[in-house]
Structures are given as structure tokens and as C-alpha cells.
Amino acid sequence: MLTAASRVGCVRSNNEDMVLAHDRLIRSDIYATEWMTENLDRFVVAIADGMGGHAAGEVASEDTLANLQFYINDLPRGLASGELEEMLVSWLQSINQIIASKGHEFPMMADMGTTLVGIVYYGQHYYWMNCGDSRLYRFRDGELTQLTTDHSLNTLRGEKKHSNVIINCIGAGCKNSYMDLFDFTDDVLPGDVYMLCSDGLNDMVPDEELTRLLAEGANANKLCEAAIIAGGFDNVSVAVLRVLQS
């Protein structure tokens, strides 16, 4: 089961976040769906947290997720795990160039960029990918674990703080954008909950509260509400993927 929500928050006037929820792009909206993996050969769930002046961040996040959706759907069948990983790395290099070129072409979009965190299901394998400081967490047996590592100065310095300067993203002048990519198929268990979020959630809501909310079965919109109640200083976007018991 998948729930997704993207909210503007209490301070910002526009929402630069976007969620790709399987077959739908979500911004300033909520969504829920359910499917069986036996009936699908691929899907992707991802969050992009855009950055840049004017409406540029909105453009970067939407262009990135729309391109990713098309790319995953257009992949040939039967790729081996290593082949898929190579293609995803190639895609990242391509979309980084696309976003950068658009920023050069249109001065209003100069230096626009976006983070990206996502789960890709393909060929009965689960992969997570990360570029930037949006996050993927796993909730299992009452314990919340951050699976991704923030690409930030704080991480380099070994510090655990809130919002920070990122050192990797798509666009925004990042010439050597890179992606953490991991096949975690063998570690997916029935009952697992995977939560993807922009930093508008984890900057506002401590892990202890996120753990409590997920234990109570909170959906994506409920988690966004928690960030907004806490002050909502940034856009906040969440996707919650629950692996149902067989």
C-alpha cells in the first residue's frame, strides 16, 4: 500500500517539492493506492526537493520526476541487476545535464536543481537510490532506521544537525552529480514500512515522534501534518510504502 502527500508548509509561498507515486505526480495534493507486485514488472516511488529562485525549483523537481517515470517505464525487460544499475547511473548523468542546460537557457531558472530519493522495483528486485539530502527510512518491529546517507557538509563533518548545505544534487551547478544505489531485495520483509521524505519532515519532526506516528499507522498526509504543526518552515513531502503481510 502506498500513500503520498506534498504540502507547501506554513512559511513558503510555493511548493518546490514533488512526489512520484507509481503512476502519478503529486504536488500540493494527497494520494493513495494499492497493488500486488505479482501484477507489475516495475514501479517507482520517489521524492524530489527542488531548489532555485522564482519557480525554478518547481521546474527542476517536476522535470526530474517526469523524466524518471518515463525512463523506468521505457526500460526493456530482462535487464540483469548490474545492467539496471548502470542504466540508472547513466540516467542521472543525463538528467543532470538536462536540468543544467535548461538553467543556462532560461536566466530565471539559473542554478535550479533538486534532490532525489526513490525506490525502484524492477525484475522482482527492489532498489533504493539517493542524490542529495532527502531521505529513505525503514520502520520494522518498532524501530526506525535511516537507510540513506545525506550528501551534506554535516555528514562530511560527522555532525547530526538540521538543514545544511548539500554537496550533491541534480543541477544547481553540480557538475559531477552522483547517486547512492543499492539492491535491497533480500532485506524486504512482510510488514516493513518504507518512508521517503524531503527535509521538510525530518527537520521538523524528531525520529522519536516519527517512530510513534508510524507505529500508529500514520499515512503520508498525517506525517506532513506533524511537520506543519511543528512550524512547517519548509515544503514537506512524504511517501509511505507498506509491504503488506502475505
Side-chain angles (χ1 to χ4, degrees):
M1 181 176 182
L2 172 67
T3 62
S6 179
R7 305 280 293 275
V8 71
C10 302
V11 176
R12 301 290 184 90
S13 60
N14 63 314
N15 189 353
E16 296 183 305
D17 287 3
M18 180 161 271
V19 184
L20 172 55
H22 178 30
D23 58 356
R24 187 170 301 191
L25 292 169
I26 305 295
R27 171 175 285 145
S28 301
D29 201 358
I30 61 175
Y31 179 66
T33 188
E34 187 173 331
W35 67 85
M36 301 290 290
T37 53
E38 290 86 349
N39 300 326
L40 292 174
D41 68 337
R42 69 195 69 190
F43 67 80
V44 58
V45 179
I47 289 179
D49 182 351
M51 64 197 82
H54 305 284
E58 297 176 22
V59 174
S61 59
E62 182 168 359
D63 283 2
T64 295
L65 291 185
N67 193 292
L68 176 62
Q69 181 183 31
F70 175 83
Y71 189 84
I72 296 297
N73 288 337
D74 201 46
L75 286 172
R77 294 185 179 183
L79 292 174
S81 181
E83 292 175 314
L84 177 65
E85 291 175 7
E86 288 179 3
M87 295 192 74
L88 286 172
V89 170
S90 177
W91 170 82
L92 180 71
Q93 295 168 347
S94 174
I95 191 63
N96 190 47
Q97 292 176 349
I98 289 170
I99 297 299
S101 296
K102 200 166 190 177
H104 289 308
E105 183 178 358
F106 301 99
M108 295 281 284
M109 299 180 186
D111 294 326
M112 71 175 179
T114 184
T115 68
L116 175 70
V117 65
I119 292 175
V120 175
Y121 176 79
Y122 172 91
Q124 299 183 324
H125 281 248
Y126 288 90
Y127 306 82
W128 62 252
M129 56 185 180
N130 177 52
C131 176
D133 67 346
S134 294
R135 294 180 176 180
L136 170 65
Y137 292 85
R138 182 189 66 214
F139 179 71
R140 174 188 289 171
D141 297 331
E143 183 176 349
L144 185 68
T145 303
Q146 182 181 340
L147 300 181
T148 54
T149 299
D150 296 350
H151 300 156
S152 68
L153 285 178
N154 281 345
T155 300
L156 282 179
R157 295 167 177 165
E159 300 173 349
K160 291 186 177 181
K161 297 180 179 179
H162 290 306
S163 293
N164 180 45
V165 176
I166 62 174
I167 59 173
N168 180 42
C169 64
I170 296 169
C174 187
K175 296 181 180 180
N176 298 306
S177 183
Y178 62 91
M179 175 190 294
D180 292 339
L181 183 60
F182 186 70
D183 182 342
F184 67 110
T185 307
D186 294 338
D187 194 36
V188 176
L189 299 178
D192 279 353
V193 179
Y194 294 92
M195 181 185 74
L196 302 94
C197 65
S198 63
D199 62 359
L201 178 70
N202 53 267
D203 275 0
M204 300 303 304
V205 185
D207 285 359
E208 295 78 8
E209 179 66 4
L210 292 175
T211 299
R212 183 187 69 80
L213 289 166
L214 288 169
E216 294 175 354
N219 61 20
N221 193 48
K222 180 72 173 180
L223 292 161
C224 286
E225 282 288 344
I228 291 170
I229 291 170
F233 295 153
D234 197 357
N235 305 146
V236 55
S237 295
V238 182
V240 177
L241 181 63
R242 296 180 178 274
V243 182
L244 300 180
Q245 301 281 351
S246 57

